[in-house]
């Protein structure tokens, strides 16, 4: 994996852990970080030995937002490029073939909350604080917050959070379904790794196709989504991993997903 100034990547067995590493500004996202993330994701997608990606932040923040100081001096054109870059990175995460877990260790505000929402699963430490405080800066969320928050938590919650700019704690984030688990900070990453390993131990093709089917369903009618589900189910049935999964169950043994 290439050398990055603002990212630290570590592969732990079947799980990749990507840390946003700009703690002096609470991991705020500037163009440089986003360009690095984009390059990382392109390279990472080629590594077929990793089955789950965990994204987290160094220090006391997950990501405290887009870089306010960098945005302050942006021209209209630069703002447009910045927005397009962010959208492209977040969409790469959303469409990565394997599951991505946001390990929300601390502040996940604005672009940081949006980054977490582009991931498939969000777990938070008790120290996490989340929200979309952009309107307090006179701007709207710009990296998909108005769309993803409404899809994840429903429009009323999204409107309440975005209109007020409220910063909520981890337990409130769990209550509204923004995160699905809250854990003490000292065991947080261990528990996230257990979740990642649990996913990594499942049939890899089935996990990948399930992610694709769920994502596809959100952008289509139920009927189209159900049709797509039938297609991916058929694909699974034609893959050796399904044969191996069924055989392992019948023979009362653990499946070996590497078996052809
Ligand atoms: N950007 C730049 N620097 C930041 C930052 C940010 N988002 N958040 C924190 N920092 C910097 C602080 O300025 C400080 O730097 P120095 O002053 O030491 O040089 C350092 O990180 C440590 O922060 P604090 O001293 O403030 O730490 P505290 O623990 O006291 O407070 C805090 C933590 C998270 C409550 C506070 O830092 C804070 O309120 N930060 C800003 C949070 C925020 O408002 N986030 C949303 C940013 S707006 C778009 C694309 C994207 C977006 C919008 C449009 N288009 C292009 C359309 C997204 C916008 C956002 O994300």
């Amino acid at each position: 994996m290439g050398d990055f100034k603002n990212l630290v990547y570590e592969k732990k067995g079947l799980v990749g852990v990507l840390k946003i590493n700009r703690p002096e500004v609470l991991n705020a996202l500037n163009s440089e970080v986003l360009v690095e993330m984009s390059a990382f994701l392109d390279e990472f997608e080629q590594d077929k030995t990793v089955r789950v990606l965990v994204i987290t932040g160094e220090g006391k923040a997950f990501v405290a937002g887009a870089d306010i100081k960098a945005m302050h001096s942006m021209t209209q054109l630069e703002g447009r490029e910045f927005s397009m870059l962010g959208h492209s990175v977040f969409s790469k995460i959303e469409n990565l073939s394997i599951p991505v877990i946001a390990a929300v260790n601390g502040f996940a505000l604005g672009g940081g909350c949006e980054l977490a929402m582009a991931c498939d699963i969000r777990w938070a430490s008790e120290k996490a604080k989340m929200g979309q405080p952009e309107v307090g800066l006179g701007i709207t969320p710009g990296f998909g917050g108005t769309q993803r928050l409404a899809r994840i938590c429903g429009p009323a919650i999204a409107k309440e959070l975005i209109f007020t700019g409220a910063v909520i704690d981890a337990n409130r984030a769990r209550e509204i379904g923004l995160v699905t688990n809250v854990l003490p900070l000292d065991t947080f990453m261990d528990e996230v790794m257990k979740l990642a390993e649990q996913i990594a131990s499942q049939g890899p093709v089935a996990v990948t196709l399930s992610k694709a089917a769920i994502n596809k369903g959100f952008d289509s009618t139920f009927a189209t989504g159900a049709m797509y589900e039938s297609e991916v189910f058929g694909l699974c049935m034609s893959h050796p991993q399904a044969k191996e999964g069924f055989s392992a169950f019948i023979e009362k043994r653990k499946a070996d997903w590497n078996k052809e």
Side-chain angles (χ1 to χ4, degrees):
M1 215 46 87
D3 252 359
F4 298 107
K5 190 172 139 200
N6 303 285
L7 305 175
V8 176
Y9 176 66
E10 206 182 337
K11 192 169 155 183
K12 297 180 176 176
L14 299 170
V15 180
V17 180
L18 177 68
K19 205 177 249 195
I20 317 291
N21 186 32
R22 217 186 157 215
E24 66 284 3
V25 287
L26 308 185
N27 304 323
L29 302 174
N30 60 7
S31 297
E32 189 181 64
V33 179
L34 291 171
V35 165
E36 287 193 355
M37 287 177 78
S38 183
F40 166 81
L41 290 162
D42 290 343
E43 207 180 325
F44 177 79
E45 182 72 301
Q46 303 308 313
D47 183 354
K48 300 299 174 199
T49 64
V50 180
R51 295 194 192 153
V52 178
L53 177 64
V54 173
I55 299 182
T56 192
E58 175 61 40
K60 70 175 179 181
F62 175 71
V63 165
D67 190 320
I68 298 171
K69 290 166 200 159
M71 283 195 297
H72 181 59
S73 58
M74 272 179 199
T75 63
Q76 190 177 353
L77 197 60
E78 286 165 345
R80 181 173 181 269
E81 280 167 9
F82 186 62
S83 175
M84 285 166 71
L85 176 62
H87 275 301
S88 133
V89 170
F90 289 14
S91 140
K92 276 183 193 178
I93 292 170
E94 198 164 57
N95 294 310
L96 208 65
S97 58
I98 60 170
V100 184
I101 301 170
V104 184
N105 50 307
F107 294 110
L109 302 174
C113 189
E114 290 168 312
L115 170 62
M117 291 192 293
C119 299
D120 299 301
I121 299 172
R122 285 159 294 285
W123 276 18
S125 89
E126 286 170 349
K127 298 279 178 203
K129 297 254 191 287
M130 303 181 76
Q132 299 286 158
E134 286 92 340
V135 293
L137 297 166
I139 54 172
T140 58
F143 288 151
T146 57
Q147 303 308 303
R148 290 197 180 93
L149 188 54
R151 280 170 166 80
I152 293 167
C153 300
I157 294 278
K159 286 173 181 171
E160 184 182 313
L161 281 186
I162 292 172
F163 297 171
T164 60
V167 173
I168 57 172
D169 66 18
N171 286 324
R172 177 67 183 145
R174 181 178 47 194
E175 269 170 26
I176 63 173
L178 183 54
V179 303
T180 52
N181 203 1
V182 177
L183 296 149
L185 187 60
D186 55 352
T187 54
F188 180 55
M189 280 313 285
D190 291 342
E191 295 300 323
V192 169
M193 288 307 286
K194 281 186 207 161
L195 169 71
E197 281 154 12
Q198 164 78 8
I199 296 170
S201 71
Q202 309 301 313
V205 169
V207 170
T208 283
L209 292 178
S210 298
K211 170 168 172 171
I214 295 168
N215 282 1
K216 178 84 176 169
F218 264 95
D219 282 334
S220 21
T221 61
F222 184 88
T224 307
M227 178 63 78
Y228 190 76
E229 185 183 82
S230 300
E231 296 299 335
V232 297
F233 183 79
L235 255 179
C236 278
M237 293 300 284
S238 69
H239 196 279
Q241 282 176 14
K243 193 166 182 287
E244 168 61 9
F246 289 141
S247 302
F249 176 81
I250 292 161
E251 294 159 19
K252 299 188 189 301
R253 60 174 173 80
K254 212 165 157 255
D256 174 5
W257 303 119
N258 296 316
K259 216 165 159 180
E260 281 302 317

